[in-house]
Amino acid sequence: MLRIEIFSDRKESLGEGPLWDVKEERLYWIDSYGPTVHRADLKGGDRRSWTVPEPIGSLALREQGGAVLALRSGFHFLDFDSGKVTRINETQPGELRPRLNDGKVDRQGRFVAGSMDYCESDPVGKLFRLDPDLKVSELDSGIICSNGPCFSPDGKTLYFTDSFTKIIFAYDYDTATGDVRSKRAFGSFAELQGYPDGATVDSEGYVWSVEVYAGRLVRFNPDGVIDRVVGLPVFSSTSISFGGPNLDIAFVTSMARPFKGRYHREHEAGMTVAVHGLGVRGIAEPRFKG
């Protein structure tokens, strides 16, 4: 039976990037404009937070400890013990409009993250890959708002959206090199009210995309056809990660910041919810090997 509970009642200005760590059995998530990284156990307790120096788009855990962050200016490391943030690479130096946004680690331990226009209007964003040797490569460009990168179970398909196109794209992903080719439309939000935001892939190879400004989860089958739609209590839902001991709980973040100048009416805006009873399991997110 479907059940939705409040996991964190903290009202994030722009809650994003939920990430379940199977090793620690904890959920990480962020407030992009906090800018803050949060962590809690399965029950929402044992909480800890780290303030970071720039707006943050996403994070990934590292095999050797700590995290790699996609901050406004580029990729950084975060040491959980000291809270120290160290810059790795500035991704678009000298450009004031772009900031790094959503990102995920591929099955080989590389971090793929895209940038977006701070004003959400012009295609100044790019898609990047950070390799374990800390080399940065550009995979795509001409993007307004990078969101929802995630990988098929075999790692050979990269899903990604420029939210304002209302299209989820798919690329053939070279697992040996991390290069992409054959970009194509995969799933469409053209007939839906909202826009595709954060996304993940379940163990059956179906893509779950969060419909921001509509408060729903949209599941696409491997052919890009909508298979299921699940309503949420938060209009401003943003991103998703499957977690819990069996990877069968969908953790969904949201935002409290105003939408088109108006504050959200629902009490839960900005909170993180846990969706139980979907009947599917996720895939454990890899750690960054650098």
Side-chain angles (χ1 to χ4, degrees):
M1 182 178 295
L2 189 69
R3 184 177 84 257
I4 301 177
E5 300 176 339
I6 300 297
F7 173 78
S8 171
D9 62 2
R10 180 186 174 105
K11 287 180 170 288
E12 316 292 356
S13 174
L14 178 52
E16 277 284 4
L19 172 64
W20 178 261
D21 181 49
V22 295
K23 182 179 179 180
E24 299 179 355
E25 294 196 342
R26 289 187 174 95
L27 183 76
Y28 290 80
W29 73 102
I30 62 175
D31 183 348
S32 290
Y33 294 144
T36 314
V37 174
H38 302 293
R39 183 185 72 191
D41 63 21
L42 181 61
K43 300 297 184 181
D46 189 25
R47 296 194 181 196
R48 187 172 176 189
S49 298
W50 297 265
T51 300
V52 295
E54 302 176 15
I56 176 174
S58 55
L59 84 156
L61 299 177
R62 301 175 64 194
E63 285 191 349
Q64 57 186 279
V68 57
L69 312 177
L71 298 187
R72 177 176 183 171
S73 63
F75 295 111
H76 295 67
F77 286 140
L78 169 62
D79 182 283
F80 289 139
D81 292 331
S82 67
K84 182 179 179 181
V85 175
T86 306
R87 178 178 291 179
I88 303 168
N89 187 288
E90 189 173 358
T91 46
Q92 293 176 254
E95 299 182 47
L96 300 179
R97 293 280 292 274
R99 73 166 178 88
L100 281 183
N101 199 43
D102 208 354
K104 288 275 175 47
V105 175
D106 70 13
R107 308 295 177 214
Q108 291 70 42
R110 297 171 290 233
F111 188 39
V112 174
S115 60
M116 61 174 285
D117 178 16
Y118 227 113
C119 299
E120 300 184 4
S121 61
D122 295 323
V124 298
K126 298 180 178 182
L127 184 62
F128 299 99
R129 186 190 71 243
L130 176 66
D131 292 338
D133 64 3
L134 307 185
K135 177 185 176 182
V136 176
S137 299
E138 182 181 319
L139 301 180
D140 204 351
S141 60
I143 300 161
I144 298 175
C145 186
S146 295
N147 264 314
C150 53
F151 294 88
S152 59
D154 64 6
K156 295 181 179 179
T157 302
L158 167 62
Y159 300 102
F160 173 79
T161 184
D162 181 347
S163 290
F164 295 108
T165 66
K166 302 195 81 168
I167 296 172
I168 298 174
F169 297 98
Y171 304 79
D172 290 340
Y173 190 79
D174 189 322
T175 57
T177 65
D179 293 334
V180 297
R181 60 182 182 276
S182 304
K183 181 180 180 180
R184 58 205 179 269
F186 168 75
S188 174
F189 275 63
E191 303 301 319
L192 301 179
Q193 173 187 341
Y195 300 83
D197 202 327
T200 192
V201 175
D202 64 30
S203 62
E204 299 173 12
Y206 287 57
V207 177
W208 290 79
S209 179
V210 179
E211 188 182 6
V212 68
Y213 306 133
R216 301 193 295 184
L217 301 178
V218 183
R219 189 192 196 213
F220 292 84
N221 72 17
D223 294 321
V225 177
I226 293 177
D227 167 77
R228 187 177 178 185
V229 178
V230 179
L232 297 167
V234 188
F235 169 80
S236 54
S237 50
T238 55
S239 194
I240 178 174
S241 177
F242 282 102
N246 299 313
L247 293 176
D248 59 355
I249 304 169
F251 293 98
V252 183
T253 50
S254 68
M255 70 176 87
R257 68 173 182 167
F259 173 63
K260 293 184 177 179
R262 298 182 180 181
Y263 284 94
H264 301 289
R265 291 176 295 177
E266 70 269 21
H267 170 70
E268 297 85 357
M271 297 183 185
T272 301
V273 301
V275 184
H276 302 259
L278 289 171
V280 300
R281 298 180 61 179
I283 301 172
E285 294 291 344
R287 289 185 172 223
F288 178 62
K289 287 189 175 181

